[in-house]
Amino acid sequence: MRDTRESRLLLVLLIAIAFALITVDIRGGQESPVDGARQAAAAVFGPVENGVASAVDPIGNAIGAVRDSGERHDRIAALEQENAALKARLGSDDRNRSRLRELDAMLKTAGAGQYGIKGAEVIAIGAAQGFSWTVTIDVGARDGIRRDMTVLNGSGLVGRVTTVGPSTSTVLLANDPDFTVGTRMEKTDELGFATGQGDRPLLVQLLNGKAKVKAGDRLVTFGSQADKPFVPGVPVGEVVRVDPSGGGLTRNIYVRPYVGFTKLDIVGVVVQAPRTDPRDMVLPQKPKPAPTVTVTVTPPPPDGQQQPGANQNQAQQQGVKPEDQARQPNQQQPQDQQPQDQGETP
């Protein structure tokens, strides 16, 4: 249609008629004059609308699914995060229980030796610092840590502090080849020097070449002057091998350390030394050997023979003394046998 004056007037007229019909329909309510026309239109165009709707519904559903897929994806992601958090919580509970056991053992060790300790957590290993066996702990100068302090845990000697930063420190482990500590044998008090050998047992050189040592003997730290770098009485390890005595001035033994250096977690830095040497008080108690019971089975006597001591046991059960039993005749006299008269001749 061309845009002419007549077409414009027609458009205005149609709009006016539409507004008039809408006004009449609204004012008429249920008795509207155009209600019949509306019903007729519904009867004609209703099937067409249903057909178009059935054809368009899958498309609409697909569009809605695409629109809602983002929300479902976010919900699934949230559920996965909750599940991961729950698993992490369950795993952390086991780890927390393990750490509590380590902390409890360390506090018992410190209490037995009267060591004043500062608890710390191992946060890094020393691979970045060279080939030395070292770890980094999360306490430093701000926590009162100083160089050459003894480090221990619930099992025994861990090492000594070598470098101190504001909030972290480096600990040289006792199994490092550059690590040396004075030791004392339990009970015998034989002195020596222990040196680390990496993942092998510690090498201890006893000052007495004729010292009597055997596997299973235990060692503690001897202590240093002014208790630095080592305080006395900290458990070191247990002897696993002894070199034969060659008549030299010293003797080598090999000691398995109590501490597992590859699984360190909670440690304690000794910030206050004990007032007196705890000696062997910190060593764990050795388990008592179980009593041995020996049962001897006596074989039965051969047929027709009486076991030695049977008569004596039987007499004791009947209340007859052994000496009285020896005086009694072995056989009783028969009752039907009468003694012969003294005057009768055979």
Side-chain angles (χ1 to χ4, degrees), residues 218-240:
R218 304 186 296 181
L219 296 86
V220 297
T221 57
F222 178 68
S224 307
Q225 185 176 6
D227 298 315
K228 288 187 178 182
F230 303 108
V231 294
V234 181
V236 175
E238 188 173 296
V239 177
V240 293

Side-chain angles (χ1 to χ4, degrees), residues 89-105 265:
R89 182 178 179 181
L90 293 175
S92 63
D93 289 342
D94 294 338
R95 184 170 182 267
N96 289 335
R97 282 192 291 267
S98 176
R99 300 184 74 185
L100 285 176
R101 287 192 296 267
E102 292 183 18
L103 180 60
D104 183 64
D265 188 8

Side-chain angles (χ1 to χ4, degrees), residues 194-207:
T195 303
Q197 296 192 113
D199 54 358
R200 295 180 296 169
L202 304 176
L203 172 62
V204 179
Q205 191 175 41
L206 296 178
L207 300 182

Side-chain angles (χ1 to χ4, degrees):
M1 179 182 294
R2 295 181 180 179
D3 186 12
T4 60
R5 183 177 181 182
E6 291 78 4
S7 62
R8 293 178 181 177
L9 291 175
L10 179 60
L11 178 60
V12 172
L13 180 61
L14 291 175
I15 293 174
I17 294 173
F19 275 107
L21 291 175
I22 292 173
T23 303
V24 172
D25 185 30
I26 293 174
R27 292 183 178 181
Q30 295 181 355
E31 298 179 356
S32 174
V34 298
D35 186 59
R38 184 187 299 109
Q39 293 179 358
V44 175
F45 295 105
V48 178
E49 292 177 350
N50 291 333
V52 173
S54 60
V56 175
D57 279 345
I59 300 175
N61 293 335
I63 295 174
V66 173
R67 183 180 63 252
D68 297 338
S69 62
E71 297 179 359
R72 282 197 293 267
H73 182 271
D74 294 340
R75 180 57 180 165
I76 292 173
L79 292 175
E80 290 178 350
Q81 291 179 357
E82 292 177 3
N83 190 20
L86 180 60
K87 290 181 179 179
R89 182 178 179 181
L90 293 175
S92 63
D93 289 342
D94 294 338
R95 184 170 182 267
N96 289 335
R97 282 192 291 267
S98 176
R99 300 184 74 185
L100 285 176
R101 287 192 296 267
E102 292 183 18
L103 180 60
D104 183 64
M106 184 179 67
L107 292 177
K108 289 181 179 179
T109 298
Q114 297 300 308
Y115 307 122
I117 62 172
K118 179 69 177 181
E121 180 181 358
V122 175
I123 58 176
I125 59 175
Q129 303 177 23
F131 295 98
S132 299
W133 289 74
T134 60
V135 294
T136 302
I137 55 178
D138 62 348
V139 292
R142 297 173 183 172
D143 306 289
I145 307 302
R146 299 293 181 267
R147 180 183 172 89
D148 287 337
M149 285 185 169
T150 308
V151 182
L152 52 78
N153 66 1
S155 300
L157 180 65
V158 173
R160 63 181 178 88
V161 177
T162 56
T163 305
V164 180
S167 58
T168 61
S169 302
T170 301
V171 178
L172 182 68
L173 301 181
N175 64 336
D176 187 89
D178 293 333
F179 186 94
T180 302
V181 57
T183 60
R184 180 180 57 79
M185 298 290 301
E186 180 186 16
K187 296 181 180 179
T188 63
D189 292 338
E190 294 288 351
L191 302 181
F193 293 95
T195 303
Q197 296 192 113
D199 54 358
R200 295 180 296 169
L202 304 176
L203 172 62
V204 179
Q205 191 175 41
L206 296 178
L207 300 182
N208 183 6
K210 298 181 180 180
K212 295 182 179 180
V213 188
K214 64 181 183 300
D217 289 347
R218 304 186 296 181
L219 296 86
V220 297
T221 57
F222 178 68
S224 307
Q225 185 176 6
D227 298 315
K228 288 187 178 182
F230 303 108
V231 294
V234 181
V236 175
E238 188 173 296
V239 177
V240 293
R241 184 163 64 92
V242 180
D243 281 351
S245 178
L249 297 178
T250 60
R251 189 175 189 183
N252 292 338
I253 61 176
Y254 299 88
V255 175
R256 181 180 63 247
Y258 288 124
V259 173
F261 298 104
T262 59
K263 50 183 180 181
L264 292 172
D265 188 8
I266 302 298
V267 298
V269 183
V270 180
V271 294
Q272 183 177 359
R275 295 182 179 179
T276 59
D277 188 347
R279 306 290 294 176
D280 303 330
M281 294 294 296
V282 190
L283 284 170
Q285 295 183 356
K286 289 186 177 181
K288 296 181 180 180
T292 303
V293 179
T294 304
V295 179
T296 304
V297 179
T298 305
D303 295 339
Q305 296 183 5
Q306 190 174 9
Q307 186 175 2
N311 292 334
Q312 183 177 357
N313 294 336
Q314 184 177 3
Q316 291 178 356
Q317 293 176 0
Q318 295 177 357
V320 181
K321 297 181 179 181
E323 56 271 17
D324 295 338
Q325 184 186 17
R327 296 173 184 174
Q328 294 180 0
N330 294 333
Q331 295 181 356
Q332 297 181 356
Q333 186 177 5
Q335 296 180 359
D336 57 351
Q337 183 177 359
Q338 299 295 332
Q340 295 181 354
D341 296 303
Q342 295 179 359
E344 183 179 357
T345 59

